[in-house]
Amino acid sequence: MVKTAILVSGGGTNLQAVMDAHLFGEIPNCELTAVISSDPEAYALIRARSANIPAYVVDRAMFPNHATFTTALLQKLQDLDIELVVLAGWLQPVGGVLLRAYEHRIINTFPALLPAFADCDATTLAPYEAALRAGVKLSGATAYFVTAESGGPILLQQAVEVWEGDTPKTLQRRIMEEAEWKILPRAIALVCQGGVQVADGVAHILGGDK
């Protein structure tokens, strides 16, 4: 079983999607070892405890800078013997020692079909606003390995139709429901079953599974 930590900062809707998929046996060989929040008031902590998943806080506000915060987070992950890290509404930058320690072992989602709109801040409505400004007919979500560059090796993508009359918020909701909440558990499952190999910056799905 792959010991997995879910990092959260807010309400935890992506976390809930992962927990539901895990409950129904859709993420084989995965142990949800911990949920770790950067905010002690995050509702995601309540979701985790309700599902009997150990929940921890590494409070960003308690550290003088991001480097010391990241070091403390890494120490917590290592203390728990975490093998895979999943970002599920994590609002803190990921870099430095964490990326080096967990190369190709940190999964995140982005609310667009990367590399489209990769420069947008995914913690805001910017990706949806950019999609509507560009007049794209398809948007969607991408699950990928986090790297130092914007985006990273792509694991899975799911397209979502952009409708006439969409607003950033209606598009955001549909992308979450129809794409993010589906591909994030599937990406975790692929990695936990050893179904991904990264070569030359590209994630290859072994056996051609989707």
Side-chain angles (χ1 to χ4, degrees), residues 2-210:
V2 177
K3 291 190 172 184
T4 302
I6 314 293
L7 305 191
V8 298
S9 296
T13 54
N14 281 10
L15 167 65
Q16 190 66 55
V18 173
M19 294 192 304
D20 290 347
H22 189 265
L23 178 64
F24 286 102
E26 297 171 9
I27 314 180
N29 201 40
C30 175
E31 175 188 295
L32 294 184
T33 305
V35 170
I36 302 175
S37 176
S38 62
D39 181 352
E41 302 299 322
Y43 185 72
L45 293 168
I46 296 174
R47 293 182 189 267
R49 290 165 184 148
S50 296
N52 295 316
I53 299 173
Y56 305 89
V57 175
V58 181
D59 188 352
R60 174 63 183 89
M62 299 297 293
F63 295 88
N65 53 55
H66 192 71
T68 55
F69 166 73
T70 301
T71 299
L73 174 62
L74 176 60
Q75 186 63 59
K76 173 59 72 175
L77 293 169
Q78 292 176 333
D79 287 347
L80 295 169
D81 295 322
I82 296 301
E83 301 167 274
L84 179 66
V85 177
V86 178
L87 309 185
W90 179 253
L91 300 181
Q92 302 299 324
V94 175
V97 295
L98 194 59
L99 281 180
R100 289 192 290 275
Y102 285 92
E103 183 180 18
H104 299 148
R105 290 189 292 151
I106 303 176
I107 297 174
N108 196 15
T109 58
F110 188 83
L113 299 177
L114 290 175
F117 312 121
D119 58 342
C120 292
D121 182 355
T123 66
T124 70
L125 290 174
Y128 317 101
E129 293 167 344
L132 294 175
R133 279 197 307 271
V136 298
K137 307 311 177 190
L138 286 175
S139 187
T142 302
Y144 65 98
F145 282 130
V146 178
T147 64
E149 293 75 31
S150 180
I154 292 170
L155 293 164
L156 294 170
Q157 291 183 305
Q158 178 67 51
V160 173
E161 186 177 358
V162 179
W163 295 346
E164 288 292 334
D166 259 331
T167 66
K169 288 190 176 180
T170 62
L171 183 58
Q172 176 190 43
R173 184 70 187 183
R174 203 160 61 257
I175 286 175
M176 283 193 300
E177 292 177 349
E178 297 181 11
E180 282 188 80
W181 296 348
K182 294 181 179 180
I183 65 172
L184 181 56
R186 286 169 51 205
I188 298 169
L190 280 173
V191 174
C192 286
Q193 293 177 92
V196 181
Q197 185 176 72
V198 178
D200 298 323
V202 176
H204 299 277
I205 308 304
L206 304 182
D209 293 333
K210 298 292 184 183

